Amino acid sequence: MKKTIKPYCWRLFVIIVLCVMYLPAQCQQQVQIVTKTITKTLSYTPGDTLKILAEKANVNITTWSGNEVSVIIRLISKHKKKEIAESELQYLNYEIRSEKGVHTLSNFFATDGTFKSVKGVLTCSYELKIPQSMAVDLSNRYGMVSISGLSAKLKATIQFVELQLTECIGEQEIQAFFGEVTTSDGGGTLSLNLQKTDVELVDFKGKARVKASYGKVGVSGDEVRSFSLIGERTAVSLLFSNPKAYNYDLKTTFSKIKLPDMLDFEAQSANEFKKEFSQGNPNIRINTTYSPIQLNTYYNVSNH
């Protein structure tokens, strides 16, 4: 006997679909946004450092030719009711101070004795323009960070944050927990200490040293100067147009190494690969556990 779906089941299904499609749009229309904007210009002397202590913030740092630091901070409160959004904005605070060559920007949550709980959403955003040679010391929990064009030292400590670096070529020291890190057209020296974080080094032209646990790391480019990784349950993928331009010392425990056809016959075992193609080649050293190492090739038109 052929089974049929009862009419009320279809009606219930349609109602659920309409609710899923309709409610998010309604919620977006009803949310009220109240913003407080702070604008400031800080003087810069070569050797100065910009320190950022952020939380639940989106931070965007670009470099420019100006000999000063341009600061725009936005404190943002969201709620369906405008009066609640306006009232809760008072809980968001910021501080800008300069002392002994260190310019410190911070946002924080402050309450009085009558506070019970936040009903809406409180966030912060930073729009910063700095000299290319200005060092940056940054921390952020929950949010995003974007930095481009920096040639000075970068120190970043992030938790639950997506970090994007573009054309950063200085010394970079990054600690990340439950995050995502992407570098594009970067160079210099990169030191990564990662926990449960995924990383992509795209067109990387520098030296990288990585310590990682429970994540994924990808590296691509034809100008990698050196790459080393010590990992625990960290999968690694390498993408080079000419794999023989590098020397390898690869090992994974309780997993396998996958090589392109041109190198497969060189493998000592399924989980270990050591080869020096040329004494002057940059070194790729990887030691990980319970996760694969994969080496792939691609066709680079500029090399042909």
Side-chain angles (χ1 to χ4, degrees):
M1 180 177 179
K2 186 177 180 181
K3 294 183 179 179
T4 59
I5 300 177
K6 296 181 179 180
Y8 74 84
C9 292
W10 279 110
R11 288 196 295 270
L12 180 60
F13 174 77
V14 172
I15 291 172
I16 293 173
V17 170
L18 289 175
C19 287
V20 170
M21 296 176 61
Y22 178 76
L23 286 179
Q26 287 295 97
C27 291
Q28 291 176 8
Q29 293 173 4
Q30 293 176 1
V31 170
Q32 303 294 314
I33 302 175
V34 180
T35 303
K36 178 180 180 180
T37 302
I38 302 95
T39 304
K40 194 173 180 69
T41 300
L42 307 176
S43 61
Y44 169 74
T45 301
D48 285 359
T49 296
L50 178 64
K51 188 172 185 177
I52 303 169
L53 305 174
E55 185 167 356
K56 293 184 178 179
N58 293 333
V59 182
N60 183 35
I61 302 175
T62 57
T63 58
W64 65 343
S65 59
N67 195 32
E68 57 191 14
V69 179
S70 171
V71 178
I72 301 176
I73 298 176
R74 294 182 177 89
L75 307 178
I76 305 165
S77 177
K78 300 179 183 180
H79 193 273
K80 293 179 182 180
K81 296 183 179 180
K82 187 175 182 180
E83 58 270 23
I84 293 179
E86 291 175 336
S87 175
E88 292 190 339
L89 185 62
Q90 66 180 312
Y91 299 138
L92 284 176
N93 285 270
Y94 75 96
E95 184 177 27
I96 301 175
R97 68 178 187 272
S98 299
E99 184 178 4
K100 297 181 179 179
V102 179
H103 305 281
T104 303
L105 313 177
S106 62
N107 68 285
F108 53 93
F109 187 82
T111 64
D112 54 28
T114 62
F115 174 78
K116 292 183 179 180
S117 63
V118 173
K119 298 178 181 177
V121 177
L122 302 178
T123 60
C124 177
S125 75
Y126 295 77
E127 290 288 339
L128 310 172
K129 293 182 180 180
I130 68 174
Q132 190 178 37
S133 58
M134 187 176 197
V136 175
D137 184 350
L138 175 147
S139 67
N140 190 20
R141 291 201 308 164
Y142 305 101
M144 293 183 63
V145 175
S146 175
I147 303 174
S148 62
L150 189 67
S151 62
K153 182 176 181 179
L154 167 65
K155 183 179 180 180
T157 303
I158 57 174
Q159 299 180 50
F160 303 96
V161 166
E162 181 182 341
L163 172 63
Q164 298 178 348
L165 304 178
T166 305
E167 297 181 345
C168 293
I169 58 173
E171 180 183 352
Q172 301 150 67
E173 181 182 332
I174 299 168
Q175 294 188 40
F177 178 75
F178 269 107
E180 293 183 14
V181 177
T182 303
T183 73
S184 300
D185 296 312
T189 59
L190 178 60
S191 175
L192 297 170
N193 192 336
L194 312 170
Q195 294 184 53
K196 299 179 180 178
T197 297
D198 293 342
V199 172
E200 283 291 337
L201 310 184
V202 181
D203 290 329
F204 186 65
K205 302 176 180 66
K207 299 180 179 181
R209 185 177 70 255
V210 183
K211 182 179 180 181
S213 60
Y214 295 87
K216 298 177 182 178
V217 176
V219 183
S220 68
D222 291 329
E223 299 179 53
V224 178
R225 295 173 60 192
S226 69
F227 178 82
S228 65
L229 178 143
I230 298 176
E232 178 187 358
R233 297 182 184 272
T234 299
V236 183
S237 62
L238 306 170
L239 181 61
F240 305 134
S241 67
N242 180 16
K244 292 186 178 181
Y246 299 95
N247 298 329
Y248 300 91
D249 184 352
L250 312 180
K251 184 177 180 180
T252 180
T253 307
F254 304 113
S255 191
K256 293 183 178 181
I257 296 175
K258 183 177 180 181
L259 302 174
D261 292 339
M262 68 171 67
L263 300 180
D264 192 45
F265 69 94
E266 305 276 8
Q268 285 79 15
S269 66
N271 64 350
E272 186 172 358
F273 174 65
K274 291 184 180 181
K275 180 65 178 179
E276 182 179 286
F277 287 102
S278 177
Q279 189 174 2
N281 283 354
N283 293 312
I284 307 295
R285 296 187 174 96
I286 299 171
N287 192 328
T288 189
T289 63
Y290 293 96
S291 298
I293 300 172
Q294 186 165 344
L295 175 57
N296 295 314
T297 64
Y298 70 97
Y299 184 80
N300 191 337
V301 177
S302 62
N303 292 341
H304 296 82

